[in-house]
Amino acid sequence: NQGTSFGDQVDHRIMGIDPGSGEMKLTQDKVMKAYGLSNWTLQAGSEATMTASLDKAIKNKKPIVVTGWTPHWMFQKYDLKYLKDPKGAYGKEEAIHTIIHKGFEKKDPNATKFLNQFYWTTKDMGKVMLDIKNGTEPKQAAKKWMASNKSKVAEWTNGVKKGNGKKIKLGYVSWSSEIASTNVVGAVLTSLGYDVTLEQLGAGQMWAGVAKGSDDAIVSAWLPTTHADYLKEFKNQVIDLGPNLKGTKLGLVVPSYVKINSISDLK
Ligand code: PBE
């Protein structure tokens, strides 16, 4: 590969995820513009197709560049690095917020109290994510995490009453981080006696769902940057209960053996 540019080696292709995700929009509209990558293609797919391409490239020690984020099990499974983003096109570190349908706080102040108290760390989420990645069924992984983190669960449920079969519906997107968080929140609500439904949706549908009230809540809002457009569109129909996890990050990710270190090197 001597003399061939990194771009040539990867066919000027960034392996992306689902088109409704904030990261795809940011990459297309901000990052590729800021770094002059007009001759590059951002390949749409899903988290599953992205990680499958990554896995295959790493097995063959081939170059690859993907849209990645933290927290994600990929950093526990593989030796990876973020490409530096000297222009700050992906925005600063952000948080994952809990959002409820406007009116849900009156309909169910008890569940709202719990959702408001739900807060955990990237390490907590990482454990659940890795367990699911290693084959444990999401519901089971959530129950397992609950059983070994009783004091944390006790903090979240402090002052929260029993659900007595009341229905609650949580929307989520099948991103690993959101599968983990939504299943844990669902498992705690179930243990409180709520009748919980988890609804898997696309990113746009998830935001529209909590806005119109077909879903009561989501724990999957990446803010202030990643889902800024969605919050702007639906801000009058939802209430932001604030962060449930801090310290997330987005960026272009490559295996550590790749020679380049910055998004600027893609040009
Ligand atoms: N993600 C994971 C999502 C939010 C959670 C970074 C892929 C997104 O880009 O919208």
Side-chain angles (χ1 to χ4, degrees):
N1 280 337
Q2 285 274 317
T4 347
S5 74
F6 180 80
D8 288 335
Q9 290 172 35
V10 298
D11 215 9
H12 295 92
R13 194 175 298 273
I14 298 166
M15 303 308 286
I17 54 168
D18 43 306
S21 68
E23 184 156 13
M24 285 295 273
K25 286 193 231 166
L26 270 173
T27 305
Q28 194 82 59
D29 300 345
K30 299 241 164 75
V31 179
M32 293 173 75
K33 285 212 173 85
Y35 291 91
L37 304 178
S38 54
N39 60 329
W40 281 68
T41 308
L42 176 61
Q43 170 109 37
S46 65
E47 180 185 334
T49 61
M50 179 275 283
T51 54
S53 307
L54 187 63
D55 187 77
K56 193 172 161 211
I58 289 172
K59 282 196 175 117
N60 298 302
K61 253 206 135 194
K62 288 267 176 10
I64 186 167
V65 55
V66 304
T67 56
W69 62 93
T70 308
H72 197 286
W73 53 260
M74 62 163 75
F75 293 96
Q76 284 150 291
K77 283 264 172 195
Y78 309 113
D79 202 357
L80 304 171
K81 62 184 178 188
Y82 275 102
L83 291 180
K84 292 207 173 66
D85 176 14
K87 293 181 198 281
Y90 276 111
K92 298 211 174 69
E93 211 185 72
E94 50 178 2
I96 309 179
H97 290 226
T98 301
I99 304 277
I100 57 169
H101 174 64
K102 201 179 226 169
F104 184 70
E105 78 286 5
K106 289 208 186 75
K107 188 181 149 202
D108 195 336
N110 188 56
T112 302
K113 183 175 172 63
F114 160 68
L115 289 169
N116 210 5
Q117 290 174 175
F118 166 59
Y119 183 83
W120 64 348
T121 65
T122 54
K123 222 173 163 185
D124 294 324
M125 181 190 262
K127 281 199 191 113
V128 183
M129 261 191 305
L130 196 61
D131 200 13
I132 296 169
K133 172 61 191 164
N134 289 339
T136 307
E137 204 256 321
K139 267 207 176 92
Q140 206 49 44
K143 275 198 207 156
K144 249 171 81 183
W145 187 90
M146 268 181 78
S148 43
N149 291 273
K150 292 212 171 80
S151 63
K152 213 155 254 189
V153 174
E155 276 173 37
W156 303 345
T157 54
N158 187 26
V160 179
K161 295 181 210 101
K162 294 273 168 228
N164 299 320
K166 233 181 178 178
K167 286 193 183 345
I168 182 164
K169 201 162 152 199
L170 307 171
Y172 72 104
V173 182
S174 72
W175 299 309
S176 300
S177 34
E178 281 50 47
I179 293 172
S181 56
T182 309
N183 272 279
V184 166
V185 166
V188 176
L189 283 164
T190 302
S191 77
L192 285 168
Y194 275 89
D195 178 0
V196 182
T197 306
L198 306 187
E199 188 178 29
Q200 194 196 302
L201 300 160
Q205 293 173 313
M206 172 183 79
W207 272 94
V210 72
K212 61 175 192 267
S214 57
D215 293 295
D216 298 308
I218 61 172
V219 292
S220 317
W222 286 47
L223 295 167
T225 310
T226 310
H227 293 167
D229 291 351
Y230 286 129
L231 181 61
K232 203 171 154 203
E233 185 176 351
F234 298 118
K235 68 174 185 301
N236 294 327
Q237 292 150 278
V238 299
I239 294 174
D240 181 359
L241 297 181
N244 60 54
L245 180 149
K246 282 180 186 162
T248 67
K249 182 181 163 74
L250 303 186
L252 294 183
V253 171
V254 295
S256 295
Y257 55 74
V258 160
K259 292 259 161 29
I260 61 163
N261 287 306
S262 169
I263 305 177
S264 317
D265 300 336
L266 294 178
K267 218 187 149 158

